[in-house]
Amino acid sequence: MQATYTPGDGLVVGAGSRWLLVTPAPGAAAADDLWALLTGPRAETALVLDTVAETCGADAAVVLVDLTVGAETSVTRGRGRHHTLDGVHTLDLGEAAPDDAPVRRLVGGVVGAASLVLRPAARAVLPPVVAEPTPAPTAGGPGGPGGTGGTGGPVAGLIDGIPPEILAAVAPPPPPLPEASVVAVQTDEPPPEAVRLVERVGLTSTVRRDHPGAALDPDPDHGHDYDHDGQTTYRPETAGGLPPPPPPPGHLQHATHEMVLAVHCPAGHVTAAYSPRCRVCHEPVPAQEPHRMPRPRLGTLHLPDGERVPLDRGVVFGRQPEPVGAVADWPHLVRLPADSTYVSRSHLAVALDGWLVLATDLGSRGGTTLRVPGRPAQRIRGHEQYVWEPGQVLDLADSYEIVYEVTE
C-alpha cells in the first residue's frame, strides 16, 4: 500500500497493510507497544484496542484497519471514520482536512496526523523500447534507387508496427481444476460447515454455526420448533404407514460454486469473459479464449461495525434472517442488532447470478436506499432485483450501511 497523511493532533501507527489512527495521542511507551503489535507476525485486534483504551481513554477516536489478504479487518470507535472507494482507504478523525493542509508520504512508523489515505501500490512501468538507428540506404544499395529491392532499416525513435509476438500474446492459462470427488454426509451428525450467523452487540461479534433446522426466529407466530437441538433431522410420519418422503436437499448437498465463463488479466486475476477490463485491478484484458471454471468470490460486503461478509454465496440480512424460497446454495445469514427496530426480520437478500450481484429488498417496512457516488440516493422497490455494483452502498432503514467492494 502507498500511504499519505495530513499532519494533525492524532497519531498514526503502522506499516504495510496494518494501520492505526487515534486521538488523543498515546504516550511514547504506549506508541512503542502499538508499533510492536501492528508490525508483529500477527496483529491481535482486541489487544490493540485494549492498549488504546488503557492509554487514551474509553472515549478515544480510533480507526484500525488490517488490509492483509484473507484477514481484512476494519474497526472504528468514537469520531473515527473509515471510507473505501475504488480500492482507496481513507481514515480520519471526523473532521475534513483544510484545502491547504500539506499531504506527505509515509512508508511506515509513528507520526502525528489528522488523516491517512491508503492506495494500492502502483505497478512498475517498463521504459519504452527505442529502435537502434541504422544507416540510411544509399543509391544502388538495397532499397535505394537502382538497388536490388531490399528494405531500408527503421528510423531511430519511431515504431511503425506492433511485433507479431506481442499481437499473439495471451494471458497465462488457468491452473488445472481438481477432479470431482464425492463426500458422504451423515444426516444424524451436525454438519461441519453450516449457517454462518453473526450476532452483533456494539463493536463485538460472535460467530456460531447452526444447523439449517435450528430455530432462527423467536416469533411464536412463525411456528418454529424452539426445542429443536439443531443437530438432527425431523421427518414426520405419513398416512397409511408409508415411509416419509425424502427431506429437501440440505445446503451441504449443493455445489458451492456456479460455473462461469472467465478470462485472466495480465496480473492473473479472474474476470468475466465479456469484460474488457479486469474487475480487480481494472487493467485491460488481452484477447484470449474464455474457459469455464467455478465462480470465484465476487467481493466482500463491508458492514458498519467492521465485519466483512465474503460474496462466495448469497446473503440474507435482518434481525432474524432466514433463507428466501428454495435456495440452491445455503446463504450467509447475517443477524443485525436487535435494537435496529426499523430493520425487518428478513430485510435484504443478496443473490449471485453468474458474475452479477443482485440485491432485493424483501418488502421491509424500513425500506432500502441505494447510494451511488455522484448520484442522488434512490429508494429501491420491494421484491425487485437490482444489480449491485462495486463501490455502491445499500442503506437498510436509513440506519445500517453496507458497502460492496471487489478485492483479490
Side-chain angles (χ1 to χ4, degrees), residues 128-322:
V129 177
V130 179
E132 292 293 335
T134 59
T138 59
T148 58
T151 58
V155 180
L158 298 178
I159 299 178
D160 58 359
I162 300 176
E165 60 270 17
I166 295 180
L167 287 175
V170 296
L177 298 177
E179 296 184 359
S181 59
V182 179
V183 180
V185 180
Q186 297 290 339
T187 58
D188 56 350
E189 294 292 335
E193 294 292 335
V195 182
R196 182 181 186 274
L197 186 60
V198 183
E199 295 177 336
R200 292 173 173 74
V201 181
L203 287 170
T204 61
S205 299
T206 58
V207 179
R208 78 170 196 267
R209 302 188 178 274
D210 298 329
H211 190 273
L216 298 176
D217 190 343
D219 188 348
D221 295 336
H222 287 198
H224 287 294
D225 181 8
Y226 301 106
D227 294 331
H228 197 283
D229 59 8
Q231 299 182 0
T232 57
T233 302
Y234 174 71
R235 300 183 181 182
E237 296 293 338
T238 57
L242 297 176
H251 68 288
L252 292 180
Q253 296 172 310
H254 291 288
T256 57
H257 290 282
E258 179 181 350
M259 301 299 291
V260 293
L261 279 176
V263 292
H264 286 73
C265 78
H269 301 137
V270 180
T271 194
Y274 56 79
S275 177
R277 290 186 174 271
C278 175
R279 65 188 183 92
V280 178
C281 63
H282 307 292
E283 293 292 329
V285 177
Q288 58 190 282
E289 188 69 21
H291 56 274
R292 294 184 65 82
M293 65 173 291
R295 177 180 55 213
R297 189 176 75 173
L298 296 186
T300 306
L301 299 183
H302 298 251
L303 310 186
D305 57 358
E307 285 287 334
R308 300 190 178 192
V309 181
L311 282 177
D312 55 355
R313 61 184 66 200
V315 188
V316 181
F317 292 89
R319 289 185 292 112
Q320 298 290 338
E322 293 183 338

Side-chain angles (χ1 to χ4, degrees), residues 1-387:
M1 303 296 290
Q2 291 183 345
T4 58
Y5 73 98
T6 302
D9 297 333
L11 190 72
V12 162
V13 182
S17 300
R18 300 170 184 162
W19 297 89
L20 171 71
L21 176 62
V22 59
T23 188
D32 290 342
D33 293 340
L34 292 171
W35 170 259
L37 289 172
L38 290 170
T39 57
R42 183 178 179 183
E44 296 291 346
T45 301
L47 190 55
V48 173
L49 295 177
D50 289 344
T51 303
V52 171
E54 292 175 1
T55 58
C56 304
D59 297 332
V62 180
V63 189
L64 172 64
V65 295
D66 185 350
L67 305 179
T68 306
V69 176
E72 298 94 338
T73 302
S74 173
V75 177
T76 60
R77 285 184 176 176
R79 295 182 292 109
R81 299 185 303 184
H82 174 207
H83 309 279
T84 305
L85 180 61
D86 295 333
V88 178
H89 299 263
T90 303
L91 290 64
D92 62 54
L93 300 172
E95 298 179 358
D99 295 337
D100 57 349
V103 177
R104 298 171 181 170
R105 293 288 301 273
L106 178 63
V107 176
V110 181
V111 297
S115 64
L116 178 72
V117 177
L118 304 174
R119 294 181 174 86
R123 301 181 183 274
V125 179
L126 297 177
V129 177
V130 179
E132 292 293 335
T134 59
T138 59
T148 58
T151 58
V155 180
L158 298 178
I159 299 178
D160 58 359
I162 300 176
E165 60 270 17
I166 295 180
L167 287 175
V170 296
L177 298 177
E179 296 184 359
S181 59
V182 179
V183 180
V185 180
Q186 297 290 339
T187 58
D188 56 350
E189 294 292 335
E193 294 292 335
V195 182
R196 182 181 186 274
L197 186 60
V198 183
E199 295 177 336
R200 292 173 173 74
V201 181
L203 287 170
T204 61
S205 299
T206 58
V207 179
R208 78 170 196 267
R209 302 188 178 274
D210 298 329
H211 190 273
L216 298 176
D217 190 343
D219 188 348
D221 295 336
H222 287 198
H224 287 294
D225 181 8
Y226 301 106
D227 294 331
H228 197 283
D229 59 8
Q231 299 182 0
T232 57
T233 302
Y234 174 71
R235 300 183 181 182
E237 296 293 338
T238 57
L242 297 176
H251 68 288
L252 292 180
Q253 296 172 310
H254 291 288
T256 57
H257 290 282
E258 179 181 350
M259 301 299 291
V260 293
L261 279 176
V263 292
H264 286 73
C265 78
H269 301 137
V270 180
T271 194
Y274 56 79
S275 177
R277 290 186 174 271
C278 175
R279 65 188 183 92
V280 178
C281 63
H282 307 292
E283 293 292 329
V285 177
Q288 58 190 282
E289 188 69 21
H291 56 274
R292 294 184 65 82
M293 65 173 291
R295 177 180 55 213
R297 189 176 75 173
L298 296 186
T300 306
L301 299 183
H302 298 251
L303 310 186
D305 57 358
E307 285 287 334
R308 300 190 178 192
V309 181
L311 282 177
D312 55 355
R313 61 184 66 200
V315 188
V316 181
F317 292 89
R319 289 185 292 112
Q320 298 290 338
E322 293 183 338
V324 180
V327 292
D329 206 2
W330 195 267
H332 296 296
L333 302 181
V334 181
R335 178 177 291 177
L336 305 188
D339 57 355
S340 302
T341 55
Y342 287 97
V343 175
S344 299
R345 287 185 175 90
S346 289
H347 191 110
L348 180 75
V350 179
L352 308 183
D353 185 6
W355 291 98
L356 299 180
V357 178
L358 304 176
T360 305
D361 182 280
L362 301 174
S364 63
R365 61 173 179 169
T368 302
T369 301
L370 174 65
R371 305 187 190 278
V372 180
R375 288 166 46 185
Q378 173 190 1
R379 180 77 67 161
I380 68 176
R381 297 180 181 179
H383 304 291
E384 290 188 8
Q385 287 187 329
Y386 286 75
V387 177

